[in-house]
Amino acid sequence: MAFSAKTPRSLIKSDLPSPIHRKLRKHKFLYFSNRRKTHQISSTQPQQQLSFLNTNSLNSSDPNSHLHLLCINGKLQEALNYLDSMQELQIPLDEDTAIGMVRHCEWKRAFEEGSKVYCYVSNSSNSLSLRLGNAFLSMFVRFGKLGDAWYVFGKMLERDVFSWNVLISGYAKKGFFDEALCLYHRMLWVGFKPDVYTFPCVLRTCGAVPNLERGKEVHVHVIRFGFEADVDVINALITMYVKCGDLPKARLLFDKMARRDRISWNAIISGYFENGEYLEGIRLFFKMREHWFDPDLMTMTSVISACESLGNERLGREIHGYVIVTGMSADVSVCNSLIQMYFSLGCWETAEKVFDRMEWRDVVSWTAMISGYENNVLPDKALDTYRMMELHGFVPDEITLASVLSACAYLGKLDMGIKLHELAKRTGFISYIIVANTLVDMYSKCKCIDKALEVFHSIPDKDVISWTAIILGLRLNNRCFEALIFFRQMKVSLKPNSVTLVSVLSVCARIGGLMCGKEIHAYALRTGMALDGFLPNALLDMYVRCGRMGPAWNQFNSQKKDVSAWNILLTGYAQRGQGKLAVEFFNRMIKSNVSPDEITFIPLLCACSKSEMVTEGLKYFNSMELKYGVTPNLKHYACVVDLLGCAGQLEEAYEFIQEMPIKPDAAIWGALLNACRIHRQVELGEFAAQRIFESDRRSVGYYVLLCNLYANSGKWDEVAKVRKMMKDNGLVIDPGCSWVEVKGKIHAFLSGDDFHPQINEINALLEGIYEKMRVAGLGGPKCDSMDGVEISKAEIFCGHSERLAVAFGLINTVPGTPIWVTKNLYMCQSCHSTIKFISKIVRREISVRDTEEFHHFKDGICSCGDVEILGKALTNTTSERN
C-alpha cells in the first residue's frame, strides 16, 4: 500500500526549504521513459552526432556511455557540462547513467552538483522510479537535506525497505527522534517488513530519546519478525537498554547471546560505564580478554575514562601498560584519554610524559593539556602550552579558548584575555555559550565588570551558567544590589541550580541581607536542593556573617558536619573576637574526630589575636605540624605576625618574620603594618610598607593602612603623598557604604548621601541625637575632646555612612526592634561613640559589622569592649606623653 507524500508532512519536521525546488523552472523539461534499464529521454533528433560537443569523446554514438565514463574518471564538472549539451539537443538520458551520476555526487559530497542532476531528472516527470528514487534519497540524507529527501520520497512510485530505512536513519541522525519513530510505525502500517538494517537504526533512536517503553515495543517486533538471533540486532537492543538505564535487561540479553562479537562486548562494557557501574564494567573488560576478544580503540578509551572516574591511579597505570604492550599507544585518541585521566588523578607530570611521547597531536591533545593544567591550578603552564600550540600552527577550538580564558581569569591576565576575546570574534567561537560564559567570568575577575555585562547581554540564549557567572561577577566587584536584581530576573525564565544559590547567598552575606538569605533557604528546601554540594555550608556562612549565631547553630546541627562547616562557625567566633569560645569550639571539633585542615587554623589564630591570647595562639601554631600534620603556609605566618603585633609585641613580630623558613609575602608585611598602625610605630610601619610595595602596588588596602598610620600620628603631609601615589597608580578608595535591612528590603547608604527620599528625617533624627550627646557631656559627633587627627581620619576612611543606616532603621521599625548594619569600611571612634549612645537612649540592640569585626551595641556597651576603637589609642597616647 502506498500513501501520499503530503499526508505525513504535518507530522514530519523538515529542515530549511529546499533550494532545489526553486530552481526547477530554470531548466528545460526532459522526458523520462518508464522502461527499466532502457529508460531514455525522448528526442526528436536521435541520430544527431555529438562529436562537436567533445572532441575527446570515446564513443560519440553513445552519449550515456561517455557520460558514465566521465563520472568513473572523477570528471564531475565535465560530466555536468556534457549533460547540459545533451539537454540542449534533447539527447536521452538513461536511468543507469543518472543513478551513476547521483552516486558519484554523493561520494564526492557534491551537493550543488547533485541538486543540479535532481533538477534535470525532476523536470522530466512527476514521479521517480524505485532505483533512482533510492539513489536520490541516499544522497540527500547523506547531505542532511531532509526536506529534499522527503520530497523525493513522496515522488517515488514505489518504495522498498531500503527507502524507509534511509529516511528513518536520516531523521534519526539529525536528532528528529520522534519523527524517525513515527516513520518506522508508518512503515509497518503500510505493510513493509523491517529487515536487519531497520532495527539497529530504530533502536538507536529509542535509546537516544530515551524512551524505554517504545524500545520494549520494538523489542517485541524483533521477536515477532524473527531477528532475535541476529548479532547486530541484539547489539542494538543492548545499547538501547543501557541508554535507557535498564542494565539488568541489557545484561540478560548479553548473557543469553549464543555468539558475540567485539561490538557486543563494547556495548555492555560502555553501558556499565555510562550508568556509573565502573567496577562491573572493568570486570567485563577483563572477562572480554579471557574470551580471547581483543579490545579496540573504542574499548580502551572507555576503560581509561572509567579509571579516571574511579580515581584509581594504580588501575589506570596498569591499563596504560596494556595500551603500550598492544601498540595502541600510537593512537591519538587513546593518548588523549590517558592525558585526561592522569590530569584528573593529579599526576600532571605523567600526563606531560604521555604528551611529549606522542608522535602526532591534534587540537584535542593540546586542549587536554591546557584544561588539565587549568583544573590542577597550574594556570601559568596552561598559558605556556597555549602559546606552544599557536607556534605549532594549531587553531584552538571553543573548549581550548574556554580553558585558556579560565587561566587568564585566575592570573588576572586581562591583556591576554582581551586578545582571546578578539580571536573568538574572528573565528566565530564567541557564539558558543561556553566561550561567552568564560569571558564573563574572566572580565569579572579582572575587575572589568562593565565589559562582563556587555558580553553577558550579547548572549542570545543565556543558560544557568551565564546568569551564575554574572551574579558572581557583580558580587566580586561589590555591586551586590545589581547581583540580587539579576537573580530575580533569572528566576523569571530559568531555574537556578545550587551553584547559583551559593553565589547569591554570598551576596546576602556581604550586605547582611538576612531576609533574602532566608528566602533562598526556603527555596532550597522547597526544591530539594538544601543538601546539594556546598549549599549547606553557604547557608551556614550566610547566617554567621549576618551575625545570627542562633540560626547558624540550627543549620550546623541539621547538616553534614564536615571540616568546612566547623571552619565557618570558627570564623564566626573569630569575627566577634570571642577567642575563648573559638578555642572551646576547636577542642569540640577535635573530640568529634574531625581532622583540622590548613583553613581551620586561620580563624583560630585570628580569634586568639583579637582576644590577645598570645600564649594560646603560639601554642596552636607550634602544634600544627607536629600534632595535626598541617604544614603552616604564608597565611598562618601572617596570623602569627598579627597575633604578636596586635598585642604590642612589635619587635617579636619583626624577629618572627626574619626567622621564617619561607620568604614573607605582602600579606605578612601587611600584618606588621597593621600592628604599627594600631600602636603608632611609624618607622617600622614605613619599613613594612616598603617591603609590601616591592611586590604589590595594586592592593588598595595596604595604602589605606599606611594612610591610617600617618593619620594616627598626625602626619597629614605623608597622607597626602600616599593618596597622590594611589591616584598615580589609578587606585581609588571605595566610598563608605552601609546596608541595613528593614522589612525584608535592603537599603544602601553612601557617605554624604543627600538623595535618599527620607534624608531630611534621617538628618533631623541625627541632629536630635547629637544635641542629647552634648547635653550629656559627650560633645556630639565632633566634640572638643577629639583632636583634628581623629576627625580628619574619620572623614577620609570612615565616611559615617553607618549613622545614616542606623537612623533609617530607627525611623522605619517599631520600638525594640534590633537593627543590623553592614559596612564596607572600618568604624571610626566618633561613629562608635555615637551608636553606643543611641543604643542606650533608644534601648535597642544595634549590630554593625565593619571590615574587621562585629560590634554589638546594647545599653551603651559594645561587645568589642572599645579595645580597638579607644583602648589602644589611649594607651599609646599616654605612653607617648610619659
Side-chain angles (χ1 to χ4, degrees):
M1 179 188 298
F3 64 96
S4 171
K6 295 181 181 179
T7 303
R9 272 193 174 274
S10 61
L11 299 174
I12 307 297
K13 294 180 181 177
S14 67
D15 47 3
L16 294 174
S18 172
I20 297 172
H21 307 134
R22 296 195 295 267
K23 298 179 182 178
L24 295 179
R25 296 182 180 178
K26 296 182 181 179
H27 299 280
K28 296 181 180 178
F29 282 94
L30 301 180
Y31 301 96
F32 241 174
S33 69
N34 293 325
R35 292 175 297 167
R36 187 174 181 179
K37 292 201 174 183
T38 57
H39 286 193
Q40 291 182 339
I41 301 169
S42 61
S43 172
T44 56
Q45 297 176 320
Q47 302 300 323
Q48 185 170 350
Q49 298 296 317
L50 293 175
S51 57
F52 67 94
L53 296 174
N54 190 336
T55 56
N56 296 324
S57 175
L58 298 177
N59 188 354
S60 60
S61 62
D62 189 355
N64 283 286
S65 297
H66 181 66
L67 194 60
H68 187 65
L69 283 173
L70 288 174
C71 290
I72 291 176
N73 293 325
K75 300 178 180 180
L76 183 58
Q77 191 56 50
E78 289 186 33
L80 289 172
N81 295 336
Y82 195 85
L83 184 61
D84 286 337
S85 301
M86 289 175 62
Q87 178 193 11
E88 291 176 3
L89 297 174
Q90 298 183 357
I91 304 298
L93 175 67
D94 64 41
E95 184 178 76
D96 286 338
T97 305
I99 291 172
M101 290 193 71
V102 172
R103 289 176 177 170
H104 188 69
C105 290
E106 178 183 351
W107 177 70
K108 295 277 288 184
R109 302 290 195 276
F111 172 68
E112 292 295 332
E113 291 80 358
S115 301
K116 191 173 182 181
V117 174
Y118 176 73
C119 289
Y120 288 140
V121 174
S122 182
N123 286 332
S124 68
S125 175
N126 291 327
S127 59
L128 294 172
S129 67
L130 176 64
R131 294 176 63 234
L132 187 56
N134 283 344
F136 278 122
L137 266 181
S138 178
M139 179 186 73
F140 284 129
V141 166
R142 178 70 62 87
F143 295 150
K145 300 297 180 180
L146 299 184
D148 296 329
W150 180 253
Y151 191 79
V152 168
F153 189 77
K155 291 186 69 173
M156 293 174 67
L157 290 173
E158 59 177 316
R159 308 176 185 94
D160 58 9
V161 176
F162 177 82
S163 313
W164 288 95
N165 287 348
V166 169
L167 198 60
I168 291 170
S169 67
Y171 275 93
K173 288 177 181 177
K174 291 284 284 187
F176 298 119
F177 303 120
D178 290 334
E179 289 81 354
L181 291 173
C182 177
L183 279 170
Y184 168 71
H185 285 287
R186 283 188 171 274
M187 170 186 168
L188 297 178
W189 182 70
V190 298
F192 281 93
K193 177 183 176 181
D195 62 8
V196 70
Y197 301 104
T198 311
F199 286 117
C201 176
V202 176
L203 288 167
R204 281 195 300 271
T205 303
C206 294
V209 173
N211 192 325
L212 183 59
E213 293 303 318
R214 297 286 287 271
K216 289 180 177 179
E217 182 183 339
V218 177
H219 191 174
V220 173
H221 295 170
V222 168
I223 298 172
R224 180 190 302 167
F225 291 108
F227 291 98
E228 66 272 18
D230 187 89
V231 175
D232 293 330
V233 175
I234 299 302
N235 290 344
L237 276 169
I238 292 172
T239 302
M240 182 274 294
Y241 279 116
V242 298
K243 293 287 185 184
C244 293
D246 194 346
L247 276 176
K249 186 65 175 178
R251 184 60 181 269
L252 183 62
L253 283 170
F254 178 80
D255 291 338
K256 287 184 175 180
M257 291 180 73
R259 183 174 63 87
R260 306 184 184 104
D261 59 10
R262 185 184 289 122
I263 297 175
S264 311
W265 287 97
N266 283 347
I268 193 66
I269 291 171
S270 62
Y272 274 101
F273 293 156
E274 289 173 12
N275 285 273
E277 300 286 343
Y278 302 110
L279 289 176
E280 185 60 27
I282 295 293
R283 292 190 193 100
L284 280 170
F285 168 72
F286 287 113
K287 191 174 181 180
M288 174 185 182
R289 293 289 298 117
E290 292 173 2
H291 285 72
W292 302 102
F293 278 95
D294 292 327
D296 57 10
L297 297 175
M298 183 180 296
T299 317
M300 295 314 303
T301 53
S302 62
V303 170
I304 293 169
S305 298
C307 296
E308 175 186 346
S309 300
L310 285 170
N312 193 325
E313 181 182 347
R314 179 179 176 183
L315 179 61
R317 291 187 182 277
E318 289 179 2
I319 297 298
H320 188 183
Y322 177 81
V323 164
I324 295 173
V325 170
T326 55
M328 283 188 276
S329 57
D331 182 82
V332 66
S333 62
V334 173
C335 289
N336 292 343
S337 297
L338 286 169
I339 290 171
Q340 293 176 15
M341 178 194 72
Y342 281 121
F343 269 120
S344 177
L345 297 171
C347 305
W348 57 270
E349 297 95 339
T350 310
E352 287 180 335
K353 293 177 182 178
V354 174
F355 181 78
D356 292 338
R357 291 170 183 168
M358 292 176 68
E359 296 181 4
W360 185 78
R361 307 179 183 109
D362 59 8
V363 67
V364 179
S365 312
W366 290 96
T367 302
M369 292 296 295
I370 294 169
S371 62
Y373 283 132
E374 195 267 327
N375 292 333
N376 281 265
V377 199
L378 296 167
D380 290 305
K381 282 183 170 288
L383 296 185
D384 291 341
T385 305
Y386 174 72
R387 295 185 185 99
M388 288 175 57
M389 176 184 177
E390 286 187 316
L391 291 175
H392 282 78
F394 284 90
V395 179
D397 61 11
E398 69 276 11
I399 308 298
T400 318
L401 284 177
S403 300
V404 181
L405 283 168
S406 295
C408 292
Y410 187 90
L411 294 172
K413 298 280 188 179
L414 179 60
D415 293 341
M416 187 170 184
I418 293 174
K419 292 179 182 178
L420 291 170
H421 189 180
E422 294 299 323
L423 175 63
K425 289 180 180 179
R426 291 196 305 271
T427 57
F429 289 130
I430 191 68
S431 61
Y432 287 88
I433 196 164
I434 186 176
V435 176
N437 291 344
T438 315
L439 278 168
V440 171
D441 180 66
M442 184 274 297
Y443 281 122
S444 298
K445 291 178 178 176
C446 290
K447 304 301 180 183
C448 294
I449 188 61
D450 291 329
K451 193 68 176 177
L453 286 166
E454 179 185 324
V455 175
F456 173 79
H457 290 306
S458 69
I459 302 175
D461 299 312
K462 302 173 182 66
D463 60 7
V464 175
I465 300 175
S466 311
W467 287 96
T468 303
I470 195 63
I471 290 169
L472 183 58
L474 290 166
R475 161 66 183 89
L476 293 174
N477 287 269
N478 295 321
R479 290 166 68 166
C480 297
F481 266 29
E482 290 177 74
L484 292 178
I485 293 171
F486 272 75
F487 175 64
R488 298 190 186 280
Q489 291 176 353
M490 173 191 178
K491 288 199 297 182
V492 174
S493 57
L494 284 174
K495 178 182 177 181
N497 60 18
S498 60
V499 180
T500 314
L501 297 184
V502 168
S503 301
V504 182
L505 284 169
S506 71
V507 174
C508 298
R510 174 69 181 87
I511 61 177
L514 178 67
M515 293 307 297
C516 181
K518 284 184 174 181
E519 288 178 13
I520 294 171
H521 193 174
Y523 177 84
L525 290 170
R526 288 197 308 270
T527 56
M529 290 191 288
L531 299 177
D532 289 357
F534 191 72
L535 188 55
N537 286 336
L539 286 165
L540 179 61
D541 180 67
M542 183 272 297
Y543 285 121
V544 167
R545 296 181 67 189
C546 286
R548 306 314 202 270
M549 293 302 288
W553 267 102
N554 292 336
Q555 174 64 25
F556 179 76
N557 291 326
S558 66
Q559 69 175 71
K560 179 183 177 182
K561 299 176 181 62
D562 58 9
V563 66
S564 297
W566 289 90
N567 291 344
I568 291 169
L569 270 182
L570 195 59
T571 302
Y573 288 120
Q575 288 176 337
R576 286 156 183 77
Q578 298 171 329
K580 291 183 178 179
L581 290 177
V583 169
E584 290 176 8
F585 188 72
F586 175 77
N587 293 332
R588 179 178 172 181
M589 173 183 176
I590 300 302
K591 291 178 182 178
S592 299
N593 296 320
V594 177
S595 299
D597 59 11
E598 58 183 15
I599 297 175
T600 308
F601 289 95
I602 296 174
L604 181 62
L605 293 171
C606 287
C608 293
S609 175
K610 289 182 180 295
S611 301
E612 295 191 0
M613 299 167 59
V614 179
T615 304
E616 291 84 350
L618 292 175
K619 181 189 73 173
Y620 286 118
F621 176 78
N622 294 326
S623 66
M624 281 178 60
E625 192 162 14
L626 295 175
K627 189 173 180 179
Y628 302 106
V630 178
T631 303
N633 58 32
L634 287 169
K635 292 182 179 179
H636 300 113
Y637 284 102
C639 289
V640 174
V641 173
D642 184 68
L643 174 72
L644 295 170
C646 289
Q649 302 179 23
L650 296 177
E651 292 184 8
E652 290 82 352
Y654 177 71
E655 291 175 3
F656 179 81
I657 295 174
Q658 296 297 105
E659 296 173 358
M660 281 175 52
I662 51 180
K663 181 180 178 181
D665 63 355
I668 290 174
W669 290 110
L672 183 62
L673 176 59
N674 182 54
C676 293
R677 172 188 68 84
I678 295 171
H679 299 283
R680 300 184 180 182
Q681 296 292 323
V682 176
E683 185 177 350
L684 183 57
E686 288 177 333
F687 177 80
Q690 290 175 2
R691 294 294 177 268
I692 291 170
F693 297 140
E694 287 175 0
S695 58
D696 185 355
R697 304 186 67 86
R698 301 297 304 171
S699 296
V700 178
Y702 297 128
Y703 292 92
V704 173
L705 282 177
L706 186 57
C707 281
N708 273 318
L709 171 63
Y710 286 134
N712 284 340
S713 304
K715 296 190 173 185
W716 290 99
D717 291 340
E718 298 300 326
V719 171
K721 291 180 182 178
V722 175
R723 291 178 65 81
K724 183 179 183 303
M725 189 190 310
M726 293 174 62
K727 185 177 180 180
D728 293 342
N729 291 333
L731 303 176
V732 180
I733 299 176
D734 291 335
C737 182
S738 294
W739 298 271
V740 61
E741 188 173 47
V742 175
K743 299 176 183 178
K745 187 176 180 180
I746 302 170
H747 301 264
F749 294 88
L750 290 172
S751 300
D753 184 5
D754 293 327
F755 301 100
H756 193 277
Q758 293 181 265
I759 190 63
N760 292 330
E761 296 176 67
I762 292 171
N763 287 334
L765 177 62
L766 289 175
E767 286 299 328
I769 291 172
Y770 299 155
E771 179 62 28
K772 290 181 180 180
M773 290 177 70
R774 283 190 284 269
V775 171
L778 299 177
K782 296 182 181 179
C783 61
D784 295 335
S785 62
M786 292 176 60
D787 57 19
V789 171
E790 179 61 31
I791 294 174
S792 300
K793 187 184 75 168
E795 295 292 343
I796 296 174
F797 301 115
C798 173
H800 316 310
S801 60
E802 62 266 51
R803 299 183 194 180
L804 302 175
V806 169
F808 178 84
L810 292 173
I811 294 170
N812 293 280
T813 58
V814 297
T817 304
I819 297 174
W820 297 80
V821 175
T822 303
K823 189 180 181 185
N824 66 334
L825 301 178
Y826 93 106
M827 181 184 290
C828 70
Q829 176 184 338
S830 174
C831 288
H832 193 269
S833 300
T834 301
I835 297 175
K836 272 203 324 177
F837 182 78
I838 293 174
S839 70
K840 182 177 181 179
I841 64 172
V842 301
R843 296 182 181 180
R844 294 232 207 166
E845 291 185 26
I846 302 174
S847 294
V848 179
R849 190 190 82 200
D850 64 10
T851 57
E852 295 186 355
E853 62 182 309
F854 276 93
H855 297 271
H856 293 282
F857 299 92
K858 184 178 180 181
D859 297 327
I861 300 173
C862 180
S863 60
C864 73
D866 297 346
V867 173
E868 173 67 17
I869 302 295
L870 298 172
K872 291 178 181 175
L874 292 173
T875 301
N876 282 281
T877 302
T878 303
S879 63
E880 288 173 5
R881 288 173 181 172
N882 292 335

